[in-house]
Structure formats: structure tokens, C-alpha cells
């Protein structure tokens, strides 16, 4: 595990690489507009939006009593912004190694001081003693390794109320075969839906979720995932909500059901919800409910419309998310000049436009565009306006379909979305 100093050294290296990527002046000369530009680009690429003050603290330009070190979700976003999978990979590639002490030079002993060779019988005793000592070390080491692994293998995460409406307060706790798990290093990672939180023993953790959808809560032991459960914020049909960043959400029209054949909200409805439409914002349409439809064998079709670019927004995205019990599928589309921000994720298979050119996924639905996603036995394909543009596969099942989300940068419209099981023909 890294020391505090090496952790901050890694953060400094990351900040310097980000500043270089922004191709701007020295950090000390940055203005508010530079931080706003970074916040916008970071949000578009990673879906994590950081305020100007948070960025200033990261870059050491806003002095605090103690050096600011961001939470894991923020560190992962910073690493992804410069081309890494997550913060752990960034630390491995950019690790700051301590300087090793040079060994003392060996000084030869005078010949008369060299001990005579031991008789063969004595040497045999030394060999046997060494073997016994080695076996004891192996047994002791194995004991401590087993002791450190046992809490992880015998502990799982449970949620006492995994099904709720919006908003929802979910309660989490540990379940273990061990009589006492004390203050072991367990944490719950809620991805970008809530802060990572330590948990131990019989302690209960309550988390507030304000957005419709599925939250995948992962139990970490010594920062390694050992269990994942899901929490469902259900809706009654298609509903709309919006926000300027990941920390605030604005229910639109009281989360009342919208017309499934013409899913749309107006600027007046956004204003009534309290959303500042003079800043970049997202509008999300969600339909969350249990189903028996396989997330590994289905077809999804929808016609979408997006608005023209608005002030402060250069890239207008359209995102479709299929939420399963265990994992999710995600497709983010952009116009040809912004495909660097496009990405797709089918269960564990993920490709982002910043790491691999996704020109085939260029998509401009200003005047309407057709999206079709088809998954057959964990083999996924995407068709845009009737043309096949992507074929990929994955290994981990996402389970049954539990919801659909369609997100737009700015105001968008979805017409007659349809998701159907390819085997049973059940329609979501």
C-alpha cells in the first residue's frame, strides 16, 4: 500500500499530465474559465463533474489546512480522463519507487580468520534444521494468509430494502459466518451514485438515492471487490429527471408517467423543475421495473431526436443504458466531430473513444435517428439508421432486465422505445 507521501506524489503527476492535456498555461496562471473548461471536458468524458473549487483544491491552488486528497470515484475519473482504466492502473504505471539503500561492500576476511569447514555430519544437521525452520515459516505464513482471506470468503453484503421508489433510502449491512468481524477493512463502493463508505461488524449504512435506476453496490475487502448487490429505484412507466452534475437531480413533472410513444419534456417543464438551463445539463428518461426478460438475449429499438448545440456545449450526446440485475449495457453516441467522447459497454466489455477510434459510431439525430441494439447469447450488435456499426461480445451475464434509461445532452426526445426478449417475446 502506498504511503501518504507517495499517494500525493502520484496525484501531482496526474495533475501535471492533465494540465499538459489541456494544452494551457502554467497551473498557477489558470483562470476560472480554464477550470470551467476542464470541468466540462472531464464531465463529458467520465460523467463525473467537479466544481471549480474542487479542481482548485486538487491542483493546490486553493489552500486548505490539510492537503486535499479526493475520493476513489474522483481519482478514477481523473485517471480515465488521461487514458487509464482507473486510478489503480495509473498508480501502477506511474508508481514512485523509494530509493533503495546500496549494499555495504564486502570485505574479505584474512585467511587465518576463515572458519574451518564443518564435518559432513554437522553440515547434515544444519541442512535438516534449515528445512524444519523453512517449513515452520511456511506454516506460520499460511496461517496468517488464511486468517486475512477468511473474513472475505465468509462475508457478504446485503440490503434490507433493495426495492424502492424515488427518492429511496437503502440500508446496507454485512452478513458473515464469523462470530465477529471487528474493524476489518471493508468498504462499499456505490460507483458514482454515492460516496464510498467503510462498514464493519453489525454496523448499518443508510444511503439516499435520488435518481430512478439501478445502483450496483460493491463490497470491497482491502480495496478488492468480493460481492455486489443491486438496489432498484422503480418508476411507474417512463419518467423524466435532469441535472447539471452527478450530485443534484431535478424530478420533472413530479416524475409522472410520460407518453411512451413520444417521450419528451419542454423547456418550460425544465424551468418549473428548477433546472438552470443556461448551463450544460442532461435530461434522462427512465423506465425501471422487474422483468423476466434476459439481458443476454433481447432486441431494443428506438427513434431519438436531439437538439442543436447550445451555448457552452460543443458535443451533444445520446446514451442508452440497459440495466440488469448484475451488470449493465451502455451505448454513448456523438456526432462525428466528438466521437472521442463516445463509448460502449456490454457487461464487462468496455471501449471508450479516447482510447480507440469509434468513428463508426458517429450519430447525429438532430432530425431524428434510429438506434437498434441486439444481444444474442452474449454477442452484441448495434445498428444506426439501419446500418450495422458494431459487433462485440462479453462473458458475464447481466441477469434479467430491470430497467432502461435514455439520456440526452440538453433537451431530447425518444419515440416508442421497445425492448423484447428474443426467446419468450415478452416486451418490457
Amino acid at each position: 500500500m502506498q504511503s501518504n507521501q507517495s499517494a500525493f506524489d502520484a496525484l501531482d503527476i496526474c495533475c501535471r499530465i492533465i494540465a499538459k492535456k489541456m494544452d494551457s498555461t502554467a497551473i498557477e496562471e489558470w483562470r476560472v474559465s480554464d477550470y470551467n473548461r476542464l470541468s466540462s471536458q472531464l464531465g463529458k468524458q467520465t460523467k463525473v463533474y467537479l466544481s471549480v473549487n474542487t479542481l482548485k483544491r486538487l491542483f493546490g491552488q486553493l489552500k486548505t489546512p490539510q492537503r486535499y486528497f479526493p475520493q476513489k470515484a474522483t481519482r478514477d475519473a481523473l485517471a480515465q480522463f488521461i487514458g487509464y482504466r482507473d486510478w489503480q492502473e495509473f498508480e501502477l504505471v506511474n508508481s514512485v519507487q523509494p530509493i533503495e539503500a546500496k549494499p555495504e561492500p564486502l570485505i574479505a576476511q584474512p585467511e587465518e580468520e576463515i572458519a574451518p569447514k564443518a564435518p559432513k555430519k554437522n553440515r547434515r544437521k544444519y541442512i535438516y534444521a534449515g528445512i524444519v525452520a523453512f517449513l515452520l515459516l511456511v506454516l506460520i505464513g499460511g496461517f496468517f494468509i488464511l486468517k486475512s482471506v477468511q473474513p472475505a470468503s465468509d462475508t457478504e453484503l446485503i440490503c434490507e430494502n433493495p426495492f424502492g421508489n424515488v427518492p429511496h433510502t437503502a440500508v446496507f449491512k454485512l452478513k458473515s459466518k464469523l462470530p465477529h468481524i471487528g474493524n476489518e477493512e471493508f468498504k462499499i463502493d456505490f460507483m458514482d451514485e454515492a460516496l464510498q463508505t467503510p462498514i464493519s461488524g453489525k454496523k448499518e449504512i443508510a444511503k439516499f438515492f435520488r435518481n430512478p435506476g439501478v445502483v450496483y453496490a460493491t463490497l470491497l475487502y482491502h480495496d478488492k471487490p468480493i460481492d455486489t448487490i443491486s438496489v432498484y429505484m422503480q418508476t411507474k412507466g417512463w419518467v423524466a429527471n435532469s441535472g447539471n452534475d452527478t450530485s443534484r437531480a431535478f424530478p420533472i413533472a413530479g416524475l409522472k408517467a410520460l407518453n411512451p410513444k413520444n417521450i419528451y419534456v419542454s423547456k418550460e417543464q425544465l424551468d418549473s423543475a428548477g433546472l438552470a438551463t443556461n448551463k450544460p445539463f442532461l435530461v434522462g428518461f427512465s423506465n425501471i421495473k422487474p422483468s423476466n426478460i434476459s439481458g443476454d438475449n433481447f432486441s431494443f429499438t428506438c427513434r431519438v431526436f436531439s437538439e442543436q448545440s447550445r451555448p457552452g456545449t460543443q458535443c451533444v450526446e445520446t446514451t442508452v443504458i440497459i440495466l440488469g440485475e448484475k451488470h449493465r449495457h451502455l451505448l454513448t453516441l456523438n456526432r462525428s466531430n466528438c466521437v472521442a467522447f463516445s463509448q460502449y459497454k456490454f457487461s464487462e466489455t468496455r471501449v471508450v473513444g479516447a482510447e480507440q477510434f469509434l468513428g463508426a459510431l458517429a450519430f447525429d439525430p438532430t432530425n431524428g435517428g434510429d438506434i437498434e441494439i441486439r444481444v444474442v447469447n452474449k454477442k452484441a450488435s448495434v445498428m444506426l439508421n439501419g446500418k450495422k456499426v458494431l459487433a462485440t461480445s462479453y462473458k458475464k451475464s447481466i441477469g434479467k432486465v430491470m430497467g432502461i434509461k435514455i439520456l440526452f445532452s440538453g433537451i431530447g426526445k425518444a419515440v416508442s422505445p421497445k425492448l423484447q426478449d428474443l426467446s419468450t417475446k415478452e416486451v418490457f
Side-chain angles (χ1 to χ4, degrees), residues 13 22 35 173 211 216-217 222 243 255 261 276 304 323 362 416 427:
I13 293 172
M22 297 301 292
Y35 290 107
K173 64 180 183 181
N211 295 317
Y216 304 101
H222 291 291
L255 291 178
K261 295 183 179 180
V304 296
L323 297 159
S416 299
V427 176

Side-chain angles (χ1 to χ4, degrees), residues 107-161:
I107 301 174
Q109 289 182 319
E111 189 172 332
E112 62 272 17
E113 294 181 8
I114 298 177
K117 291 184 178 180
K120 287 186 177 180
K121 289 184 179 180
N122 289 342
R123 288 207 303 268
R124 194 173 292 122
K125 289 181 181 179
Y126 296 149
I127 292 172
Y128 290 153
I131 292 174
V132 171
F134 174 75
L135 291 174
L136 284 173
L137 286 173
V138 170
L139 288 172
I140 293 170
F143 170 77
F144 283 109
I145 291 173
L146 181 62
K147 185 178 178 182
S148 66
V149 171
Q150 192 175 13
S153 60
D154 290 336
T155 305
E156 59 182 320
L157 181 66
I158 62 173
C159 178
E160 294 187 336
N161 53 340

